[in-house]
Amino acid sequence: EVVLTQSPDFQSVTPKEKVTITCRASQSIGSSLHWYQQKPDQSPKLVIKYASQSISGVPSRFSGSGSGTDFTLTIKSLEAEDAAAYYCHQSSSLPLTFGGGTKVEIK
Amino acid sequence: QVQLQESGPGLVKPSQTLSLTCTVSGGSISSGSHYWNWIRQPAGKALEWIGRIYTSDNTNYNPSLRSRVTISVDTSKNQFSLNLSSVTAADTAVYYCARGGVFDWLPLEWGPGTLVTVSS
């Protein structure tokens, strides 16, 4: 099973500040790493797929990078609507797994 | 645009079987182009993949739950279902159904989720 370790667990950020979330895989997964945003009482929403591919309708301030075992989600200039939990997810092998999540709070 | 909706009891007694159904609209569950997933999330915790079905005889389960899980499909009703047996309080969670591709496995479309509480 591929274990995904996210850091940090929690981040309190002022608007317009840059946010960086990392996800480390326990084994190489190529670029089969995706990022979801989840707001309270909502289902997860895909914001980045295959490590760095943008998603239609998702603001361009969201970007991703990495390959192999180390990945990063960056929010270039945080807006109030970005307050949420963010989860990385790997689809390289079964069982599908998710990271533990990073909660981003607006200061 | 495909939509998914979970349904089932919100309260299940310990040791009993949790049964949920996901109704798919806006697309055919038998198109052969998608995997149909169940994923759960205990309150305040991370997402956990339970398993998925492609056709009635093509299923994959999380090894941590395999002995208790059955996922089935009813193409006539455009639904797929989850049965989780011998539940305990640790199975209390929001349960989501989600659609992924046969080549792009990641879940793309999700239902809103349904809370299932295991309690006597």
Side-chain angles (χ1 to χ4, degrees):
Chain A
E1 171 175 325
V2 176
V3 176
L4 298 177
T5 303
Q6 279 185 242
S7 62
D9 294 334
F10 177 83
Q11 201 164 7
S12 184
V13 184
T14 55
K16 299 188 179 178
E17 194 175 339
K18 179 181 175 181
V19 172
T20 301
I21 300 169
T22 65
C23 180
R24 175 162 287 176
S26 59
Q27 61 194 72
S28 179
I29 56 173
S31 61
S32 296
L33 189 285
H34 321 287
W35 293 95
Y36 291 91
Q37 175 194 67
Q38 186 180 33
K39 297 183 179 180
D41 298 320
Q42 293 185 18
S43 51
K45 171 191 168 186
L46 187 68
V47 293
I48 293 288
K49 66 178 182 178
Y50 292 103
S52 61
Q53 294 182 16
S54 57
I55 304 297
S56 175
V58 173
S60 59
R61 61 182 178 273
F62 288 87
S63 65
S65 63
S67 66
T69 61
D70 293 298
F71 302 87
T72 301
L73 173 70
T74 300
I75 308 174
K76 189 169 53 179
S77 177
L78 189 76
E79 297 195 7
E81 67 184 27
D82 302 331
Y86 292 84
Y87 294 93
C88 57
H89 162 61
Q90 68 82 21
S91 63
S92 174
S93 64
L94 297 179
L96 304 181
T97 52
F98 294 85
T102 297
K103 186 175 180 181
V104 175
E105 174 194 86
I106 308 297
K107 273 185 186 173
Chain B
Q1 172 118 2
V2 70
Q3 292 188 315
L4 299 92
Q5 179 67 57
E6 306 88 352
S7 60
L11 181 64
V12 181
K13 288 183 166 51
S15 80
Q16 293 190 342
T17 295
L18 179 161
S19 295
L20 295 174
T21 295
C22 182
T23 301
V24 179
S25 58
S28 172
I29 202 168
S30 55
S31 68
S33 303
H34 299 97
Y35 280 107
W36 304 93
N37 297 271
W38 286 100
I39 295 161
R40 71 179 183 178
Q41 184 175 36
K45 296 190 177 180
L47 298 154
E48 179 182 31
W49 179 74
I50 299 170
R52 68 184 186 183
I53 188 164
Y54 174 59
T55 62
S56 59
D57 56 356
N58 188 326
T59 53
N60 303 109
Y61 300 129
N62 193 321
S64 66
L65 297 168
R66 179 178 287 135
S67 63
R68 300 194 291 130
V69 173
T70 303
I71 297 175
S72 59
V73 65
D74 186 338
T75 55
S76 67
K77 295 181 179 179
N78 224 34
Q79 296 175 334
F80 65 106
S81 298
L82 168 70
N83 277 358
L84 180 66
S85 64
S86 305
V87 297
T88 69
D91 295 308
T92 294
V94 174
Y95 285 76
Y96 296 99
C97 57
R99 184 178 82 161
V102 292
F103 299 110
D104 294 323
W105 288 357
L106 67 155
L108 287 170
E109 293 90 10
W110 297 63
T114 187
L115 174 62
V116 179
T117 301
V118 178
S119 175
S120 54

